[in-house]
Amino acid sequence: MLPKKKEQPKEKEGLHPRNKHRERYDFKKLIASCPELRPFVRVNDFKDESVDFFNPEAVKTLNKALLKHFYGISYWDIPKNYLCSPIPGRADYIHHIADLLASLNPKGNKVPKGNRIKCLDIGVGANCVYPIIGHQEYGWSFVGADIDPVSIQSANQIIEKNPSLKGHIECRLQPNPKDIFRGIVQPDERFDLTLCNPPFHASAADAQAGTVRKLRNLKQQKPVKPTLNFGGQQNELWCEGGEERFIGDMIRQSRQFAQSCLWFTTLVSKSANLKGAYKALQQAQAVDVKTISMSQGNKTSRLVAWTFLSPDQQKTWVSTRWK
């Protein structure tokens, strides 16, 4: 006997009001946009259409369908075993930092749009998802930085094969893995925003243990062999010291580029890492710090944003650059 169909809410809880992924996936529309998705869609035990999130190929094809259907991206692919970012959460980040810029807009809290808004994505990855969503939603221009040449090559291929992205997103290889801004931000270059999804884990073993926990939740049992259903290379998943050290390093290094950026931002997945981030921001003498909560279902995370510019300097920045 099949379980009784579970009543699902019409909208996913916690997502930003402008997020296009608030409603449950309409697989008929997604398949119409991306027929490749059809073989991966099945009816689950609760008589709902879904994909097998345990299957990396299904997850990647779902992303391809979402990007094509909602953002007009005709070509999107990533190399095998590279990080396949969940689209709804990435879109939420973009919309929340758009609100951050809107709060400075003298024209009635409207999100500033167009190429004059320049963003730096630290760790753009092979998927190029943040620049795609940021440009397609708001017309912003992006520089994507990464330490991995394969990621840069993949992101560039996505850009080249989508006319709407060409000329609006530039990818740069970071030659020194210990540098975050130096070697990427050019003299006299200015960014309205930086964004980053830091490596989460502190070691390969930590990353594997996290994968086992995630898959156990999906399958309700302990998997025999861990499979990264969302993929990910070493530099995408872990670094020495994990998220806490990476964010601390980013904050300390951002001080050297205090006049080059209006707002620095980063995702902080572990709430326990906020204390260290706030301490680093205090030591770096950030002028203003904001923490923005984000949630998707049972998952909670937050953005931390900081600036070294005084309120008067922020006004001058907006009046001279956002005309």
Side-chain angles (χ1 to χ4, degrees):
M1 183 176 178
L2 289 175
K4 184 179 179 182
K5 182 171 181 177
K6 186 177 179 181
E7 288 297 324
Q8 300 285 0
K10 292 183 179 180
E11 290 193 350
K12 299 171 187 175
E13 295 181 1
L15 291 178
H16 190 281
R18 291 195 301 277
N19 195 320
K20 291 178 176 176
H21 311 288
R22 288 176 62 86
E23 295 183 358
R24 297 183 58 75
Y25 294 141
D26 186 328
F27 285 102
K28 288 183 175 59
K29 290 182 179 179
L30 291 176
I31 290 170
S33 295
C34 181
E36 296 169 65
L37 182 62
R38 186 185 300 277
F40 299 103
V41 176
R42 58 180 176 78
V43 177
N44 62 24
D45 290 342
F46 296 101
K47 301 181 181 179
D48 285 319
E49 284 189 321
S50 183
V51 300
D52 181 4
F53 287 96
F54 190 70
N55 179 349
E57 198 63 30
V59 171
K60 186 173 85 167
T61 309
L62 175 61
N63 268 19
K64 186 180 295 188
L66 292 172
L67 289 169
K68 189 170 186 179
H69 182 74
F70 289 102
Y71 303 103
I73 300 301
S74 57
Y75 170 87
W76 185 84
D77 199 4
I78 54 174
K80 187 176 180 180
N81 296 327
Y82 273 69
L83 186 64
C84 188
S85 304
I87 303 300
R90 298 303 190 260
D92 240 37
Y93 191 152
I94 292 293
H95 291 304
H96 279 292
I97 58 176
D99 287 345
L100 183 62
L101 291 187
S103 69
L104 299 176
N105 195 341
K107 299 178 180 178
N109 283 339
K110 293 182 180 179
V111 176
K113 297 181 179 182
N115 266 354
R116 69 187 186 280
I117 302 301
K118 190 171 183 179
C119 308
L120 171 60
D121 181 8
I122 299 163
V124 64
N127 56 74
C128 200
V129 165
Y130 282 131
I132 287 172
I133 298 175
H135 180 69
Q136 297 301 87
E137 288 283 43
Y138 298 115
W140 298 343
S141 62
F142 277 81
V143 169
D146 209 288
I147 63 173
D148 180 15
V150 175
S151 288
I152 294 293
Q153 183 180 13
S154 174
N156 276 331
Q157 188 173 34
I158 292 169
I159 295 162
E160 284 298 313
K161 292 190 175 184
N162 288 281
S164 63
L165 303 179
K166 288 182 69 173
H168 304 291
I169 304 170
E170 176 190 353
C171 293
R172 299 175 186 173
L173 181 67
Q174 171 56 266
N176 186 348
K178 292 185 178 180
D179 285 333
I180 295 175
F181 303 101
R182 190 178 302 279
I184 296 297
V185 180
Q186 303 302 309
D188 300 323
E189 191 171 29
R190 298 291 179 267
F191 290 95
D192 298 280
L193 287 167
T194 72
L195 57 155
C196 181
N197 187 11
F200 185 77
H201 300 288
S203 68
D206 187 19
Q208 187 176 66
T211 299
V212 170
R213 286 193 300 272
K214 183 170 66 174
L215 296 182
R216 186 186 296 130
N217 290 336
L218 282 175
K219 287 288 188 180
Q220 299 301 313
Q221 60 187 9
K222 185 175 181 179
V224 176
K225 182 179 179 181
T227 302
L228 290 171
N229 56 333
F230 285 91
Q233 296 295 294
Q234 171 184 322
N235 60 286
E236 294 176 309
L237 297 177
W238 69 272
C239 65
E240 188 176 349
E243 179 183 77
E244 183 177 19
R245 182 180 294 184
F246 189 94
I247 291 173
D249 289 343
M250 186 192 311
I251 290 168
R252 284 185 285 275
Q253 293 184 30
S254 71
R255 177 67 190 172
Q256 303 168 29
F257 295 85
Q259 302 301 312
S260 300
C261 181
L262 177 56
W263 280 100
F264 298 89
T265 75
T266 184
L267 187 71
V268 182
S269 295
K270 298 180 181 178
S271 59
N273 292 337
L274 284 173
K275 184 178 179 180
Y278 294 149
K279 183 177 180 180
L281 286 163
Q282 186 177 28
Q283 292 173 340
Q285 298 180 318
V287 171
D288 193 8
V289 176
K290 297 183 185 297
T291 305
I292 303 166
S293 295
M294 302 196 311
S295 65
Q296 182 181 353
N298 295 325
K299 182 180 179 182
T300 301
S301 59
R302 67 287 307 156
L303 296 176
V304 172
W306 66 98
T307 184
F308 296 102
L309 303 183
S310 68
D312 285 343
Q313 288 175 315
Q314 293 177 41
K315 288 179 182 178
T316 300
W317 180 292
V318 169
S319 64
T320 55
R321 288 182 52 84
W322 294 6
K323 290 181 179 178

